[in-house]
Amino acid sequence: MPEFENTVTPGRDYSGLPDRKRRRESDILEQAAFFHLVILIIGLSWWFGGQSPGARQAVLLWTTAGIALFLIAWGNPRLLGCHRYTPLRYLWPLFIFDIIVLISCLNPTTRVIMNQGEQMFLHTDPRWAFLPSTARPDLSWRELWLANGIIISAFNAFLILHSRRILRQLLVVVAVNAFVLAVFGTFQKLYGATGLWFNAVPTPQPYFFSTFVYHNHWGAFTTLNIAACLGLLFNAYRRGGHRDFWHSPVFLGAVAILFIAATAPLSSSRSTTALLTLFLFGALVHFLFQLIRRRRDRHESPFLPLAGIGLAAMLAVAGIVYLSQDVIRVRALHTQQQLVNIRTEDALNTRLQLYRDTITMGAAKPVFGWGLESYADVFRIYNTQRARELWFGQRVYREAHNDWLQSFAENGIVGTSLLLLLGVLPLLGVPWRRLRSPLPYYLLAGCVLVLLYAWVEFPFANPSVMVAFWLSLFIASRYARLDLLTQQAEKDAQNA
């Protein structure tokens, strides 16, 4: 039996479930996990992407319900047709990470003091120098709760959802929600709103889009959603069964993808615009190769479809540029000014110095780091741009603008390695070359792009991006296994 078949069975394996009650319980658990994720995805993205105190509190409570569903499933593995050790096989890095952070919370490196009625944190040596420690136990504990709730809720899609069809339904919810958010954000932008929800909610900075406080967070969120849309589109195209391209979900899906992609330049996010341009160009090339191959198999000329797609692509680009022309003009002038600043004021070195200071901070405690969510407090010690911070108020860094370096500074080599393992383990044991469906590939491509993006920004500081990332990764792994098991079942049926 191939290795990937030992993890989760292809469907509902009811061996050992002789009665209908157990079967009904399995269906109820699956429906509960599905709707829990639907509410999490939609609710979080519309509530400022989770970037408000109320939204974060709601996420903590709602994802705790996801942890409860996970524990119910883990305690009743026969309902899922899987082994009891299956969750441990994939989540053990998370559990070890939890232990490290919990130990650090009992070994603080700060002491709270009161100065003229104001609470301040005094940095001290930890009680046990050889153990993990944290500068802010309160923030570390809260961030750990949030991370566990999001990751385990997303893992429920891998553990509890039994069929490719329901996984595709969940991704359709993701795609439709992204499209509606894009429409909302486009109207809000064209209206000229200077605050969220058509000026109903003030925003701390001008670069926002739709319901997201920061446009680069919207960009990372959009990248993951477009990856899901592309996966669904290519999967529908591969399965066929439609009269032609114009009367299939592929055409409507392509239109929706282009509309969502148009929000990248409209949101003023230059980095996301460049990233999505390359991503969509690669998807277009993939589609053209698929089209040429299919037309040749039918002994038909691919010239007319290629010409039509080329014309449609040019019209789409022209429409996006026209819709975003004012924003593009402003950002182009801003970029030009930044290039001048790089030559005259050494502005580029400001970001590079931030990275160097973050590396210095991490190198001071390379094994376990300074503690989860402690960056903003500890970095003030290592910030060599403090003079400019004090005089101009411009260099107060709450984030490192590089999630990789910030993870190194907060979690050390051990914690960062455990988080990487958590993402890699679900992908092991799958013979990816045998996979027929392109859906998992596109989901993983979106994850890779966001991981690359995390070298120059901080997308994982946004809870909605975290949900989209981990959900994409776990669905990709689960869908690949189910697709391969379906292939094996079809092969066995032919040989029988």
Side-chain angles (χ1 to χ4, degrees):
M1 181 179 292
E3 182 182 354
F4 65 86
E5 291 189 41
N6 290 329
T7 57
V8 183
T9 55
R12 296 177 177 82
D13 180 5
Y14 291 118
S15 57
L17 302 179
D19 54 87
R20 294 183 178 180
K21 180 181 178 181
R22 291 278 181 87
R23 190 170 299 191
R24 187 168 60 253
E25 289 175 353
S26 178
D27 291 338
I28 292 173
L29 183 62
E30 182 179 48
Q31 293 169 7
F34 178 83
F35 285 108
H36 175 268
L37 286 169
V38 166
I39 295 172
L40 177 63
I41 294 164
I42 297 175
L44 187 60
S45 61
W46 283 91
W47 200 344
F48 311 121
Q51 291 292 96
S52 73
R56 283 184 173 261
Q57 185 65 35
V59 172
L60 290 174
L61 297 175
W62 187 247
T63 54
T64 301
I67 295 175
L69 287 173
F70 166 78
L71 294 175
I72 292 171
W74 194 2
N76 296 274
R78 289 190 303 167
L79 292 178
L80 308 175
C82 70
H83 300 291
R84 185 177 293 274
Y85 66 79
T86 296
L88 283 176
R89 179 174 182 174
Y90 300 106
L91 295 182
W92 64 264
L94 177 63
F95 297 152
I96 295 177
F97 183 83
D98 291 346
I99 293 172
I100 291 174
V101 176
L102 290 175
I103 291 174
S104 73
C105 290
L106 301 175
N107 193 28
T109 57
T110 55
R111 183 163 54 89
V112 180
I113 60 174
M114 300 301 294
N115 183 20
Q116 297 180 354
E118 182 180 356
Q119 188 181 66
M120 302 183 68
F121 294 91
L122 177 66
H123 286 274
T124 62
D125 293 328
R127 185 179 305 174
W128 301 289
F130 59 92
L131 290 177
S133 59
T134 179
R136 290 296 302 271
D138 54 334
L139 298 182
S140 295
W141 160 246
R142 188 179 181 86
E143 189 67 16
L144 183 69
W145 182 6
L146 177 69
N148 274 264
I150 288 175
I151 293 170
I152 291 177
S153 293
F155 185 76
N156 286 341
F158 180 95
L159 184 66
I160 300 175
L161 303 188
H162 295 102
S163 69
R164 292 178 298 172
R165 178 182 58 82
I166 196 168
L167 290 174
R168 289 196 301 270
Q169 289 176 351
L170 185 57
L171 290 176
V172 168
V173 171
V174 169
V176 172
N177 181 60
F179 179 77
V180 176
L181 280 167
V183 171
F184 176 82
T186 300
F187 279 113
Q188 185 174 247
K189 194 74 174 182
L190 297 177
Y191 175 77
T194 58
L196 296 163
W197 288 95
F198 289 91
N199 298 327
V201 180
T203 179
Q205 47 85 28
Y207 296 121
F208 66 94
F209 189 81
S210 190
T211 59
F212 282 65
V213 177
Y214 186 41
H215 62 167
N216 284 334
H217 288 162
W218 167 259
F221 180 75
T222 301
T223 300
L224 292 164
N225 287 325
I226 286 181
C229 293
L230 286 170
L232 290 171
L233 185 149
F234 277 99
N235 189 72
Y237 182 71
R238 182 188 67 85
R239 294 176 67 186
H242 311 289
R243 189 171 70 183
D244 54 35
F245 172 79
W246 308 105
H247 296 83
S248 71
V250 178
F251 174 68
L252 293 176
V255 172
I257 289 170
L258 288 173
F259 190 90
I260 297 172
T263 63
L266 195 62
S267 69
S268 308
S269 179
R270 295 165 295 181
S271 53
T272 305
T273 300
L275 201 66
L276 285 178
T277 299
L278 294 174
F279 191 21
L280 291 176
F281 179 77
L284 178 61
V285 172
H286 179 207
F287 178 73
L288 293 178
F289 274 113
Q290 293 283 332
L291 179 63
I292 291 171
R293 185 182 304 169
R294 181 170 293 191
R295 299 285 291 188
R296 286 179 175 175
D297 290 342
R298 297 176 180 175
H299 304 288
E300 299 173 348
S301 173
F303 176 75
L304 286 177
L306 291 179
I309 291 172
L311 178 61
M314 287 189 291
L315 290 174
V317 172
I320 291 173
V321 172
Y322 176 78
L323 185 66
S324 309
Q325 58 181 327
D326 293 336
V327 176
I328 292 174
R329 187 182 303 111
V330 171
R331 296 301 281 171
L333 291 174
H334 188 207
T335 301
Q336 183 179 3
Q337 184 61 44
Q338 285 182 325
L339 292 175
V340 173
N341 291 342
I342 287 174
R343 300 189 191 98
T344 59
E345 299 179 13
D346 212 18
L348 179 61
N349 282 340
T350 298
R351 178 64 66 91
L352 295 178
Q353 188 60 46
L354 169 63
Y355 292 165
R356 285 192 287 266
D357 292 342
T358 302
I359 293 173
T360 302
M361 173 183 164
K365 288 193 174 185
V367 180
F368 296 113
W370 287 88
L372 187 64
E373 199 62 13
S374 64
Y375 181 83
D377 293 279
V378 178
F379 183 70
R380 290 180 177 271
I381 302 173
Y382 294 90
N383 185 6
T384 59
Q385 303 176 74
R386 292 182 67 193
R388 302 188 71 178
E389 173 187 327
L390 293 174
W391 282 101
F392 299 103
Q394 297 175 352
R395 303 291 180 244
V396 178
Y397 293 108
R398 305 297 302 177
E399 308 286 345
H401 291 265
N402 184 317
D403 280 336
W404 292 89
L405 293 182
Q406 183 165 334
S407 179
F408 168 62
E410 290 186 347
N411 307 311
I413 296 173
V414 174
T416 302
S417 299
L418 288 170
L419 293 176
L420 284 173
L421 273 174
L422 181 63
V424 170
L425 286 180
L427 308 180
L428 300 180
V430 178
W432 292 95
R433 291 183 179 180
R434 290 171 47 193
L435 195 63
R436 291 184 304 190
S437 174
L439 178 55
Y441 289 117
Y442 273 96
L443 291 174
L444 293 180
C447 293
V448 170
L449 288 175
V450 171
L451 288 173
L452 292 174
Y453 192 48
W455 279 103
V456 295
E457 272 297 342
F458 50 104
F460 291 100
N462 182 275
S464 200
V465 174
M466 284 183 62
V467 170
F469 176 86
W470 288 107
L471 192 63
S472 296
L473 189 144
F474 287 130
I475 289 181
S477 177
R478 176 64 163 153
Y479 199 96
R481 284 172 163 80
L482 293 173
D483 193 67
L484 290 164
L485 290 167
T486 301
Q487 290 183 47
Q488 186 66 41
E490 292 173 354
K491 184 178 180 180
D492 293 342
Q494 290 175 358
N495 296 332

